[in-house]
Amino acid sequence: MNAVAASAPANFSADIFTALDSIVREVARAVDAQVSSIYYWQEQQSQLQLVATYGLNTELVGQLYLRPDQGLTGLVAETRRPLSVKHPSTHPRYVFVPRSFEERLESYLGVPVFRPGRIFSGVLTVQRESARLFSPQEISAVVLAANRVASQLG
């Protein structure tokens, strides 16, 4: 068992990790982003756990946790609404994550992930090196991808 599997939520199988890895790669390609990540909501601990990423340091998968009051991803969890930000490092809610390699990223989009019944399950993020807001069409595409994530997080 690898370190990620050892620290993963109990209901996660290798198949789920494979599916989530595939989704983050597809999402990044679809919206021309350098990074896409999935954070799983751990209800009992009231925190998000990074469970898949394309473009960030993969050593953080299973090791990075954020509370709803931490960072832009935490803000998405807190508000349960999509958030698009140009120059995220200047946003008051920005939190620097050491070893993430996100310093180069100038655009952020986070969307909440909901299972049927609007049960909050996590956050899907995409980030770009170019500084601009994501278009309504790109936001819609990522929201649709969040539905695929929800089906995996079941």
Side-chain angles (χ1 to χ4, degrees), residues 89-111:
S89 64
T90 64
H91 192 281
R93 286 291 297 264
Y94 176 80
V95 171
F96 174 72
V97 177
R99 300 181 6 251
S100 66
F101 311 133
E102 69 180 358
E103 302 85 15
R104 70 192 193 281
L105 303 169
E106 294 294 332
S107 300
Y108 170 92
L109 172 62
V111 300

